[in-house]
Amino acid sequence: MSQQQDANKDLVRRYLDAFNDRDSETLAELLADDVVEHGIHSTLRGVDEILEFQRAHFDVFPDYSGVTESVVSEDDLVTVRYTVSGTHSGEYRDVEPTGHTVEWTGMSMYRVEDGRIAEIWLEEDRLGLLERLEVVDPPAHLRL
């Protein structure tokens, strides 16, 4: 692995740590001014939109925390597989707070440019999240 790939992985790990710590100042330093996040529900453009979305997400899951399971780096891309958890304490996608502590998985990809995160892609098991919130039933063949 090249030194640049190691540096990119370190940058993304710092970003994830700052995310878990709700350290908006560090997050803003690590994101390019014109960063684009291709999220689960929408595309966010710029540091301010991303930070605002994160703040709103923390209102819904105030104890939200992620654990990095795996990190892979190639060229200017860093891919992360993770598990997150949190207590559903605010309205989420028209779902009133359930008080359930839930866990779900996801993968994200970060493109690094000039030492900052320039682009983010997110994929998460949001159907699994809704099942854990008891909003939707799992398919019949998966029920125990």
Side-chain angles (χ1 to χ4, degrees):
M1 181 176 301
S2 75
Q3 287 182 332
Q4 187 58 52
Q5 288 170 322
D6 285 340
N8 290 348
K9 283 173 73 171
D10 289 343
L11 172 72
V12 169
R13 283 189 175 110
R14 287 179 45 220
Y15 176 82
L16 296 172
D17 288 343
F19 184 88
N20 275 339
D21 293 340
R22 286 137 176 87
D23 182 352
S24 296
E25 186 175 312
T26 298
L27 290 169
E29 291 171 10
L30 300 176
L31 294 169
D33 293 337
D34 60 349
V35 62
V36 176
E37 179 178 288
H38 309 278
I40 287 82
H41 304 297
S42 61
T43 298
L44 305 174
R45 298 183 186 283
V47 174
D48 291 339
E49 278 190 23
I50 290 174
L51 294 179
E52 179 57 37
F53 182 84
Q54 289 175 357
R55 279 189 287 276
H57 191 69
F58 293 142
D59 287 344
V60 176
F61 298 97
D63 57 348
Y64 179 97
S65 181
V67 175
T68 301
E69 307 290 344
S70 177
V71 179
V72 177
S73 179
E74 183 175 315
D75 299 324
D76 63 347
L77 298 174
V78 177
T79 303
V80 177
R81 183 175 56 85
Y82 57 88
T83 301
V84 294
S85 63
T87 304
H88 181 220
S89 302
E91 186 176 315
Y92 172 74
R93 309 284 298 166
D94 297 328
V95 176
E96 292 298 318
T98 63
H100 296 320
T101 299
V102 292
E103 181 177 278
W104 67 98
T105 59
M107 295 185 77
S108 55
M109 183 179 288
Y110 303 84
R111 185 175 61 80
V112 177
E113 183 179 290
D114 298 326
R116 296 171 87 188
I117 296 170
E119 201 162 7
I120 304 168
W121 293 266
L122 298 170
E123 293 291 334
E124 291 187 343
D125 180 14
R126 293 300 173 106
L127 178 57
L129 168 60
L130 292 173
E131 289 171 355
R132 288 170 191 85
L133 292 175
E134 299 177 359
V135 175
V136 297
D137 290 327
H141 71 282
L142 295 179
R143 292 185 207 145
L144 298 175

